[in-house]
Amino acid sequence: MNRFADKEETSNIAAFLCFPFIIGINSTRIKKSKILCYCNDFSSESQVTENKIIDPAEILNKSIANFIASLYANPIIPRNVIQIVIDGVGQIFSEGLKTVTLCFIDIENAFICFKTEHKRFRYFADLESYIEPKEIIIGQRLNKSLNKGLSVLEPTNCTEDSETLKYLASLMNNKSVLGNFVQRTFWQSRIQKLEGKTVLPLFMYFDDFENGNVLGSHSGVHKLGAVYVSVQCIPLHRTSVLSNIFLALLFHSSDRVEFGNNVIFNPLINKLNFLQETGIQIDTSVFKGTLYFGLGLIIGDNLGIHSIIGFTESFSSNYSCRIRTINKNDLKFQCYEDESLLRSIDQYYMHLEVIGVDLMHDILEGYAKYIMGFILSYYINDLKLFSLQVLNDRLFAFDFGPEKNKPCEINLIPIDEPVWILYTGADLEI
């Protein structure tokens, strides 16, 4: 996936945070053209002083580039649809304006520089506002192909593809309420080593996903591993926005098994070290200087966490828990914490220090639905304070405000035995 960014602000991080993003083009970077004219009045975006030499074709190119940038920045528009839009608008200019006077020749050929995706990416690269994501060769595997009726094994390369700062300052000054990761003693001890630097914490999430039929005969063949990164100290109303969750690494899951974690995650580790040690230069109205990023936590489901840090990936093994050294037989029945069984940093060095617990997998999609099931069953069946129908009617009529993701009707399965709620993590979060 591609990442567009303003080089003056995020030139180094753009190759690392590769979620599609384009910003407006700075007019000062656009090269001068040979066709010049004089003009006294333009729109506010391209306003010039009196008698200043401007180029109408240059202004038109900038407008088209900003239009294309807005298309690429919209996460719901596929790239093939963008090509259809470009072709259609180009046809409007080329065919619909043929009868216009000769002074509009530039308009007729306005989309020549943006006709194909290659030309569009090259245009942004020339403006130094596009950094192409790197493809890293980590090894080779043999793929079977059919050549003139014969099955041939061919080697194939294995690759892997002012509000935040203000909010951060308010969190650091708030000593009474813990509302963010940066206020915890763990992060405070981390940034003490970087005193005088502005450091933003990164949460790294890893998981494998199947982009084909999970139950089909070819399941696992196209399984991919993805690493996502998010900045943890951004304002709450922006944390779940898709554009603020960045794809950092993508690879075939089978390649990780074949070549190992060191080969797969080494490029990502280098980028994380660069962001922590060198940082990126920022020049805005609210901040000028170097901005650094530090790895706060690694989160994911149990299998994802165990695979990325080298723990056992078999949960039927004798000691499968990454938090405690407890036997699998005792694990099924223990209800209270035994501190003597907790794994320590002394035993595993830095592994446990940056390993977090994922809210969605461990709580919302984990034990929360069972706990809520027990609570509701107790109120409905034992205390008989209300019925399940009354509860569902209240949920249906409740005003959740602008939130459109309302929880669905509650079903307790089964109602008179140990129960659980048929809810998703998003439903329980509401």
Side-chain angles (χ1 to χ4, degrees):
M1 302 177 74
N2 296 322
R3 175 76 183 178
F4 289 79
D6 192 317
K7 185 181 179 184
E8 293 180 358
E9 296 185 359
T10 57
S11 60
N12 292 321
I13 200 173
F16 164 59
L17 304 180
C18 52
F19 193 84
F21 175 69
I22 306 179
I23 65 170
I25 304 302
N26 189 339
S27 60
T28 59
R29 293 192 184 130
I30 302 178
K31 298 180 180 179
K32 296 181 179 179
S33 178
K34 296 181 180 179
I35 304 175
L36 303 175
C37 67
Y38 288 88
C39 182
N40 293 331
D41 187 23
F42 270 81
S43 64
S44 59
E45 184 178 358
S46 57
Q47 189 173 7
V48 295
T49 57
E50 187 174 1
N51 296 331
K52 184 176 180 180
I53 298 177
I54 63 167
D55 179 9
E58 183 179 4
I59 296 176
L60 183 61
N61 277 352
K62 176 190 171 184
S63 300
I64 295 174
N66 282 329
F67 168 67
I68 294 175
S70 66
L71 295 179
Y72 276 114
N74 193 328
I76 68 173
I77 301 180
R79 287 165 57 175
N80 62 332
V81 174
I82 295 177
Q83 184 63 51
I84 296 175
V85 173
I86 298 300
D87 293 340
V89 177
Q91 186 176 6
I92 293 175
F93 280 118
S94 61
E95 297 182 4
L97 299 176
K98 285 184 178 179
T99 59
V100 186
T101 56
L102 189 62
C103 65
F104 289 98
I105 293 179
D106 287 333
I107 297 180
E108 181 179 350
N109 301 318
F111 278 81
I112 289 181
C113 297
F114 309 98
K115 188 66 177 177
T116 64
E117 188 171 70
H118 171 73
K119 289 184 178 181
R120 293 193 288 270
F121 286 173
R122 186 175 62 182
Y123 182 87
F124 288 115
D126 290 340
L127 297 181
E128 297 183 346
S129 69
Y130 166 62
I131 300 176
E132 185 178 6
K134 295 181 180 180
E135 183 180 74
I136 302 170
I137 307 298
I138 59 175
Q140 288 188 334
R141 62 170 175 264
L142 294 176
N143 283 353
K144 186 176 69 174
S145 63
L146 192 63
N147 185 9
K148 296 181 180 181
L150 298 177
S151 294
V152 180
L153 293 178
E154 296 179 348
T156 303
N157 291 331
C158 305
T159 62
E160 47 190 338
D161 275 326
S162 53
E163 189 178 13
T164 297
L165 295 177
K166 292 179 181 178
Y167 181 68
L168 177 62
S170 66
L171 291 174
M172 301 302 289
N173 294 330
N174 189 349
K175 306 298 183 181
S176 58
V177 179
L178 292 178
N180 193 275
F181 175 76
V182 298
Q183 298 174 287
R184 302 305 300 266
T185 55
F186 168 70
W187 180 250
Q188 296 293 330
S189 63
R190 292 282 302 276
I191 61 176
Q192 283 181 355
K193 306 173 184 178
L194 304 171
E195 188 176 357
K197 297 180 179 180
T198 302
V199 186
L200 304 184
L202 296 177
F203 274 20
M204 188 175 75
Y205 176 85
F206 169 72
D207 198 5
D208 290 323
F209 65 93
E210 178 71 64
N211 56 5
N213 184 3
V214 181
L215 303 178
S217 59
H218 295 280
S219 62
V221 176
H222 304 292
K223 191 176 183 181
L224 298 178
V227 179
Y228 301 91
V229 172
S230 62
V231 181
Q232 187 58 23
C233 61
I234 61 178
L236 292 178
H237 65 280
R238 299 186 182 276
T239 53
S240 60
V241 178
L242 188 59
S243 59
N244 292 325
I245 302 174
F246 307 101
L247 176 63
L249 196 66
L250 190 66
F251 56 88
H252 280 282
S253 298
S254 58
D255 290 341
R256 187 185 66 83
V257 177
E258 176 70 22
F259 301 104
N261 286 344
N262 290 336
V263 174
I264 293 294
F265 295 107
N266 186 65
L268 180 59
I269 294 173
N270 292 337
K271 290 299 181 182
L272 290 173
N273 289 333
F274 174 84
L275 292 174
Q276 178 172 305
E277 298 170 2
T278 305
I280 60 174
Q281 296 296 320
I282 301 294
D283 187 2
T284 65
S285 58
V286 295
F287 180 84
K288 293 183 180 180
T290 305
L291 196 61
Y292 299 88
F293 297 84
L295 180 61
L297 290 177
I298 301 175
I299 57 178
D301 61 4
N302 286 331
L303 181 59
I305 290 294
H306 281 223
S307 60
I308 198 174
I309 64 176
F311 281 14
T312 178
E313 298 180 36
S314 173
F315 295 100
S316 61
S317 60
N318 287 330
Y319 297 91
S320 60
C321 181
R322 71 176 184 274
I323 299 177
R324 297 172 298 167
T325 56
I326 184 173
N327 186 275
K328 66 177 181 179
N329 295 324
D330 298 331
L331 182 63
K332 299 177 182 179
F333 302 101
Q334 190 178 57
C335 299
Y336 300 95
E337 181 184 47
D338 184 351
E339 294 185 358
S340 64
L341 297 177
L342 293 176
R343 301 181 190 266
S344 65
I345 298 178
D346 296 335
Q347 295 173 308
Y348 299 92
Y349 188 51
M350 296 291 290
H351 283 80
L352 298 180
E353 189 177 26
V354 295
I355 301 302
V357 177
D358 185 34
L359 173 66
M360 183 186 70
H361 284 97
D362 292 337
I363 300 179
L364 299 180
E365 290 187 350
Y367 58 78
K369 58 184 179 182
Y370 297 101
I371 292 178
M372 288 303 301
F374 288 134
I375 293 175
L376 291 179
S377 178
Y378 179 70
Y379 285 151
I380 294 172
N381 298 328
D382 298 342
L383 299 182
K384 300 186 183 302
L385 297 179
F386 52 84
S387 66
L388 183 61
Q389 184 62 43
V390 171
L391 177 61
N392 284 324
D393 291 342
R394 295 290 179 89
L395 281 176
F396 178 79
F398 186 79
D399 183 11
F400 287 90
E403 177 59 56
K404 297 181 179 180
N405 187 22
K406 298 181 180 180
C408 59
E409 183 179 275
I410 294 178
N411 291 313
L412 296 179
I413 307 174
I415 194 66
D416 53 355
E417 297 178 8
V419 296
W420 57 284
I421 301 177
L422 191 60
Y423 259 23
T424 65
D427 292 328
L428 287 171
E429 189 174 14
I430 296 175

